[in-house]
Amino acid sequence: MEALLNKLSEQHELTEEEIVWFLGHLTPKWKQQLYIRASEVRKQHYGVSVYPRGLIEFSSFCRRDCLYCGLRRSNSSAERYRLTDEEIIECAAEGYELGYRSFVLQSGEDIIYTVQVMTSIIREMKLRFPDAAITLSAGERSEAFYRAVYQAGADRYLLRHETASRTLYESLHPGMSFDNRMDCLRILREIGYQVGAGFMVGLPGQTHRHLAEDLLFVKRFHPEMIGIGPFIPHSATPLKDAAGGTVEDTLVMIAMARLMVPEALMPATTAMGTLDPSGREKAIQAGANVVMPILSPLQIRSKYALYEQKICTGDEPEHCRSCLEMRIAVSGYRMEFSRGDHCSYKAQL
């Protein structure tokens, strides 16, 4: 175990078989060692900074039918909404006043937001907030859409691959193509985005070998951002009775991904805080360095229900900022209100 941890820490790689063995033999003692190593590596690249991204969840409509997601199109009980261009800009303006210089526009795959609509929103945001970075997370779109939005000023695109196993992916995503998902990620990289990928931990049928595939994929693809969170079952989906993921298993994946891709930006997800009041702080201690406080209007937050009992749906943005800043400070880190770019991007400036 020590030899593998040393290899992971120093060479930033393990083989598939080594990962499977490592995951199968982790004890509490070695988990703590893993988290310590991951935290040390993160500090080498980003110090004690944690970067906030103001999250604007602008539509809960989705054309997809993913088995695990509360926004799936077959969920007739889901409360749907769409924010107007003006409402999106207003959310960003409030966040900008609070000091945020990085925004994430996230939605289901809602094709009502055409390339013309999205480029207009992003151009206006860049005009109003020229020193802020914009991330878009709106699912699988055409290459022409991705290119136009990039040219309009989007800096980053977040498209979690969910699982690097073709079989597992296609069993959870009816009507979707694993190859198309991977092609989208490749196209985003070729265009010039800072690209975010990522996966869920605790999916039904997921094994250590599947998780090894995920780690090897992010090692190979080397995304600028890696989002890893626990699967939380939603009561209005086919997977409502599944066990779901755990904070502990997710922390292991965060730490291993940090060691395999040392320069990545990695969020401490809201899902971690939903399962454990200290979940986000634990993720930061295990190598994460991004948080995403919600800027969406209070009256619609609970409707963006990928899973249930999501935290922070009733908090004003100012309260979210002060709460997170305090929690992070108590953990020994500090919120850095900047664009929070990937360290290689900074080096190019």
Side-chain angles (χ1 to χ4, degrees):
M1 180 61 76
E2 185 173 7
L4 288 181
L5 184 55
N6 287 339
K7 179 182 178 181
L8 183 57
S9 303
E10 295 163 11
Q11 300 178 32
H12 307 301
E13 63 181 10
L14 292 176
T15 67
E16 182 175 323
E17 293 304 326
E18 286 171 336
I19 294 170
V20 171
W21 191 93
F22 187 85
L23 292 175
H25 292 80
L26 265 180
T27 62
K29 169 194 168 183
W30 288 111
K31 284 179 184 177
Q32 288 306 312
Q33 286 299 312
L34 173 66
Y35 303 153
I36 290 168
R37 301 282 186 96
S39 183
E40 289 171 350
V41 166
R42 184 266 320 280
K43 286 179 180 176
Q44 290 171 14
H45 295 280
Y46 294 101
V48 294
S49 294
V50 175
Y51 305 98
R53 276 86 159 98
L55 179 61
I56 304 170
E57 296 163 331
F58 64 90
S59 172
S60 66
F61 284 84
C62 190
R63 61 177 172 163
R64 303 298 189 183
D65 217 16
C66 307
L67 300 189
Y68 49 80
C69 182
L71 299 187
R72 66 194 308 261
R73 68 170 186 266
S74 293
N75 181 8
S76 59
S77 64
E79 295 184 78
R80 309 290 182 176
Y81 70 89
R82 291 185 175 107
L83 297 186
T84 65
D85 302 18
E86 294 77 16
E87 287 171 326
I88 293 170
I89 300 297
E90 189 177 322
C91 290
E94 184 174 9
Y96 194 85
E97 285 296 313
L98 289 170
Y100 296 114
R101 295 299 180 265
S102 180
F103 301 104
V104 178
L105 306 184
Q106 187 173 70
S107 71
E109 282 199 24
D110 185 355
I111 57 175
I112 293 297
Y113 292 86
T114 62
V115 64
Q116 291 82 8
V117 172
M118 289 312 306
T119 53
S120 175
I121 292 168
I122 288 167
R123 285 195 187 101
E124 180 64 21
M125 287 182 68
K126 280 294 187 179
L127 187 65
R128 293 273 302 273
F129 322 114
D131 56 337
I134 300 174
T135 301
L136 185 59
S137 179
E140 296 180 15
R141 297 295 190 103
S142 68
E143 181 173 349
F145 178 95
Y146 291 149
R147 289 191 180 279
V149 170
Y150 181 75
Q151 289 164 6
D155 303 276
R156 308 166 184 151
Y157 201 99
L158 176 59
L159 183 67
R160 297 208 313 184
H161 65 278
E162 306 299 3
T163 171
S165 162
R166 177 188 299 274
T167 303
L168 187 58
Y169 181 91
E170 295 185 346
S171 73
L172 295 168
H173 301 85
M176 295 178 69
S177 162
F178 178 79
D179 288 332
N180 191 64
R181 193 71 158 196
M182 292 300 171
D183 282 345
C184 286
L185 285 167
R186 175 185 55 78
I187 289 166
L188 290 165
R189 166 63 51 77
E190 289 174 356
I191 289 170
Y193 284 97
Q194 294 182 55
V195 182
F199 57 96
M200 283 185 287
V201 179
L203 289 165
Q206 189 179 59
T207 65
H208 287 164
R209 194 163 298 278
H210 290 134
L211 293 170
E213 290 181 74
D214 282 313
L215 291 171
L216 292 171
F217 170 74
V218 296
K219 173 66 177 176
R220 182 171 64 253
F221 184 68
H222 228 76
E224 282 75 24
M225 184 168 173
I226 304 172
I228 303 173
F231 161 59
I232 303 177
H234 189 292
S235 64
T237 68
L239 303 183
K240 62 183 179 181
D241 296 322
T246 67
V247 167
E248 186 174 353
D249 289 344
T250 307
L251 290 173
V252 169
M253 287 297 105
I254 290 171
M256 293 188 74
R258 167 60 66 197
L259 291 173
M260 295 192 81
V261 191
E263 310 90 353
L265 291 155
M266 298 182 63
T269 66
T270 303
M272 291 290 276
T274 298
L275 289 183
D276 180 340
S278 301
R280 286 178 295 184
E281 293 91 321
K282 290 176 180 178
I284 290 168
Q285 296 288 359
N289 63 340
V290 170
V291 289
M292 293 189 180
I294 304 171
L295 295 177
S296 311
L298 287 177
Q299 66 270 21
I300 57 91
R301 287 189 192 178
S302 62
K303 299 176 183 178
Y304 198 83
L306 307 177
Y307 52 88
E308 293 158 311
Q309 279 84 53
K310 186 164 86 171
I311 58 170
C312 302
T313 57
D315 294 338
E316 293 285 354
E318 187 171 358
H319 178 263
C320 271
R321 175 192 155 146
S322 60
C323 175
L324 270 175
E325 198 165 12
M326 178 190 68
R327 284 170 169 269
I328 288 166
V330 169
S331 299
Y333 298 83
R334 63 176 177 82
M335 285 248 272
E336 181 178 315
F337 288 88
S338 67
R339 282 172 50 104
D341 287 300
H342 187 268
C343 57
S344 68
Y345 180 90
K346 290 181 179 179
Q348 294 168 15
L349 295 180

